[in-house]
Amino acid sequence: MAFLQSAPEPATAVPIKLDPVSLVLHASGPVFLVVWLLIFAAILVWVIAVLKVLQLARLASLQARFEQESSHAHSPDQLFALAQRHADAPGARVVMELSRRVGTSRLLDSIAKRAIVTETQRASALMPTLSSIAAASPFIGLFGTVYGIMDAFLRIGQQKSASLPVVAPAIGEALIATAIGLFAAIPAVIAYNAINKRVDDLLAALEAASEGWVEIASLSARGMQESIPLALQRTSDRPTPVMPKG
């Protein structure tokens, strides 16, 4: 009597759980890189947003304090002394640039505008990064989605089956890439618009106040121009010495 031995059953592959964490951890190569890049971008959005809010709140507080005290300044010396006292305020830095030059109101106005451009660049730091994340994240997520769909079709061709266990992991990780791309882009757009509004308000107040600072700073130049004719007049009033004839 022949001894019949049953063949061992092939080991079954452990199916991937269709929850977001498992899909991210077991994603294919390109999708894995896309997902983690978008996760890093989403974290970076919140870091930038917090830093910019704190920075603008500090600058607005310093600027409001400097404007309040500078409204009582009626001479260039008083204004320049206040600027030295509030050296961290954006308006104080503009006034310090004015204190380094002596000239007409037109010249000082151009100096103030150039200083305001510098303050604009300082206040707008990291804003291009926020804008780039807002614009590029949906397209990066779309790239992961397209690759995931292509992976699903390749699995259908290899397995000769379009059953749910075959295509679900690839399609799931593709949709996760799109979701994380939107999760990075939507807060970036909201944060960019809100922070940019605060930057514009700060710069508008700075430009409005700079007109008064230019007028006060130009008083020193006016005083010098007025003193020169008086000196010339006093010199002309002196009798001209007559040289004796030989």
Side-chain angles (χ1 to χ4, degrees):
M1 184 177 180
F3 178 76
L4 298 177
Q5 184 178 4
S6 60
E9 296 181 357
T12 58
V14 178
I16 299 176
K17 296 181 180 179
L18 296 180
D19 60 276
V21 177
S22 297
L23 290 175
V24 169
L25 295 178
H26 296 87
S28 56
V31 179
F32 184 84
L33 293 177
V34 166
V35 166
W36 284 105
L37 177 63
L38 292 174
I39 290 175
F40 174 76
I43 296 173
L44 187 61
V45 166
W46 290 100
V47 172
I48 293 175
V50 171
L51 291 178
K52 293 301 296 182
V53 167
L54 294 177
Q55 179 197 19
L56 293 175
R58 176 176 171 272
L59 291 178
S61 176
L62 294 173
Q63 179 63 21
R65 193 178 309 165
F66 176 71
E67 287 187 12
Q68 183 179 4
E69 295 189 15
S70 64
S71 62
H72 302 290
H74 301 290
S75 67
D77 293 337
Q78 293 178 354
L79 184 61
F80 299 155
L82 287 174
Q84 292 178 352
R85 191 185 310 166
H86 302 275
D88 294 332
R93 288 191 285 262
V94 174
V95 172
M96 291 304 297
E97 291 296 326
L98 295 175
S99 67
R100 296 186 178 97
R101 295 290 298 272
V102 176
T104 61
S105 297
R106 187 173 181 179
L107 175 61
L108 294 178
D109 185 63
S110 64
I111 295 173
K113 288 181 179 179
R114 183 64 188 88
I116 291 174
V117 170
T118 303
E119 294 302 319
T120 302
Q121 295 172 351
R122 182 180 285 108
S124 301
L126 298 178
M127 293 297 288
T129 303
L130 205 60
S131 176
S132 299
I133 293 175
S137 293
F139 297 100
I140 297 175
L142 183 61
F143 171 77
T145 301
V146 171
Y147 188 89
I149 297 299
M150 291 174 55
D151 189 24
F153 281 111
L154 290 176
R155 292 184 184 184
I156 291 174
Q158 293 173 356
Q159 300 292 332
K160 301 295 191 262
S161 172
S163 62
L164 189 61
V166 174
V167 299
I171 294 178
E173 68 187 32
L175 297 178
I176 285 294
T178 302
I180 297 178
L182 295 176
F183 180 75
I186 292 174
V189 172
I190 296 174
Y192 180 85
N193 292 332
I195 295 172
N196 193 54
K197 177 64 169 56
R198 299 187 66 174
V199 172
D200 291 341
D201 292 342
L202 177 64
L203 296 177
L206 187 61
E207 290 177 358
S210 66
E211 297 179 1
W213 299 331
V214 168
E215 291 297 325
I216 295 175
S218 63
L219 293 177
S220 59
R222 293 176 187 175
M224 292 179 61
Q225 291 176 356
E226 291 175 357
S227 62
I228 291 174
L230 290 175
L232 292 176
Q233 183 179 2
R234 292 174 182 174
T235 305
S236 62
D237 291 340
R238 297 176 181 175
T240 305
V242 179
M243 299 297 295
K245 294 181 180 181

